[in-house]
């Protein structure tokens, strides 16, 4: 039985992110208010944890931030539900047709998408255009020189944005940590448009570094690159 306010918040959050139906209209509205407020709290928490260089709590906060932004858990397989015009039913149809990933939607023809969803043109084109507006399709690379590790994040997609819907996804969070998961560097506002290059000093004795790129607003876009550090560092 729920008695405390925090218990109610916890249950409603689990229900919303887990995709459970909330039949009571007032509880549904409360759930949306919780998400709205929690999103702002998490944004502040992420920047605070960056300042304090706390790696594990920062990663957890970033994952929860993505979950709240998309109203589903960060490790959900329903990635294409983030695309314009694609709800739960269409997500299931696309997933069953092996079109449930960003890569699959990008490679598929518009007519293929329309055939799976039983929709007329230009619906497939609109779905593909929606992907091009939210997915930077970053490539990560790193090069070591002495004790300096230079990390490059290069988006292959120019992100064709327009309208209020695409005010999200402007930035990503770049983390560089040691093999012992000590945070070496964090950029909480890495632009999703244009190449970014960051230089990080690697402590002596470090055997490997982990480079991670987190989307602020979307799930399924995180990247990781493990870099073996030479003895020169």
């Amino acid at each position: 039985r729920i008695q405390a306010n925090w218990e109610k918040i916890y249950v409603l959050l689990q229900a919303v992110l887990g995709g459970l139906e909330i039949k009571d209209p007032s509880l549904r509205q409360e759930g949306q208010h919780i998400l709205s407020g929690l999103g702002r709290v998490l944004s502040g928490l992420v920047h605070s944890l960056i300042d304090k260089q706390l790696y594990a709590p920062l990663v957890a906060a970033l994952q929860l931030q993505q979950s709240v932004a998309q109203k589903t858990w960060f490790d959900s397989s329903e990635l294409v539900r983030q695309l314009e015009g694609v709800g739960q039913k269409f997500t299931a149809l696309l997933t069953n047709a092996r079109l449930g990933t960003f890569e699959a939607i990008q490679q598929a023809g518009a007519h293929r998408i329309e055939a799976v969803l039983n929709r007329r043109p230009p619906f497939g084109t609109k779905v593909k255009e929606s992907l091009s507006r939210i997915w930077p399709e970053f490539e990560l690379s790193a090069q070591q020189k002495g004790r300096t590790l230079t990390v490059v994040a290069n988006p292959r997609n120019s992100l064709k944005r327009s309208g209020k819907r695409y005010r999200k996804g402007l930035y990503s969070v770049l983390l560089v940590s040691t093999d012992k998961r000590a945070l070496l560097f964090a950029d909480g506002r890495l632009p999703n448009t244009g190449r970014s290059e960051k230089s990080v000093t690697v402590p002596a004795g470090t055997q490997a570094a982990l480079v991670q790129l987190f989307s602020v607003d979307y799930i399924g876009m995180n990247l990781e690159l493990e870099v073996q550090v030479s003895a020169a560092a």
Side-chain angles (χ1 to χ4, degrees), residues 132-145:
S132 72
R133 292 187 179 108
I134 70 170
W135 188 32
E137 200 181 353
F138 271 107
E139 288 183 323
L140 288 177
S141 61
Q143 186 174 8
Q144 179 190 350
K145 185 175 181 181

Side-chain angles (χ1 to χ4, degrees), residues 88-122:
Q88 192 167 3
K89 179 182 176 181
F90 281 179
T91 296
L93 291 172
L94 289 169
T95 301
N96 290 337
R98 297 184 179 180
L99 294 176
T101 65
F102 296 142
E103 292 84 358
I105 291 293
Q106 183 186 61
Q107 295 170 12
H111 293 301
R112 166 72 172 148
I113 296 171
E114 291 156 357
V116 169
L117 301 180
N118 194 25
R119 294 296 301 267
R120 295 179 179 179

Side-chain angles (χ1 to χ4, degrees), residues 93-228:
L93 291 172
L94 289 169
T95 301
N96 290 337
R98 297 184 179 180
L99 294 176
T101 65
F102 296 142
E103 292 84 358
I105 291 293
Q106 183 186 61
Q107 295 170 12
H111 293 301
R112 166 72 172 148
I113 296 171
E114 291 156 357
V116 169
L117 301 180
N118 194 25
R119 294 296 301 267
R120 295 179 179 179
F123 188 82
T125 300
K126 289 183 177 179
V127 170
K128 291 176 67 67
E129 287 177 349
S130 175
L131 176 62
S132 72
R133 292 187 179 108
I134 70 170
W135 188 32
E137 200 181 353
F138 271 107
E139 288 183 323
L140 288 177
S141 61
Q143 186 174 8
Q144 179 190 350
K145 185 175 181 181
R147 291 181 59 185
T148 300
L149 186 68
T150 301
V151 176
V152 175
N154 190 29
R156 291 185 288 183
N157 184 0
S158 60
L159 293 183
K160 303 171 183 177
R161 296 183 175 277
S162 62
K164 294 182 180 179
R165 180 183 178 88
Y166 299 104
R167 289 179 181 174
K168 287 184 176 183
L170 299 177
Y171 301 98
S172 293
V173 176
L174 179 68
L175 306 182
V176 182
S177 58
T178 69
D179 49 335
K180 299 183 185 300
R181 298 300 175 261
L183 190 61
L184 300 177
F185 173 85
D187 185 341
R189 290 180 65 85
L190 188 83
N192 284 344
T193 55
R195 181 179 182 273
S196 297
E197 182 176 309
K198 307 292 180 180
S199 295
V200 183
T201 300
V202 180
T206 301
Q207 297 180 347
L210 180 64
V211 181
Q212 295 171 287
L213 193 66
F214 290 85
S215 171
V216 173
D217 297 299
Y218 297 100
I219 65 171
M221 298 185 186
N222 299 344
L223 292 177
E224 288 190 0
L225 174 67
E226 187 170 355
V227 183
Q228 297 302 314

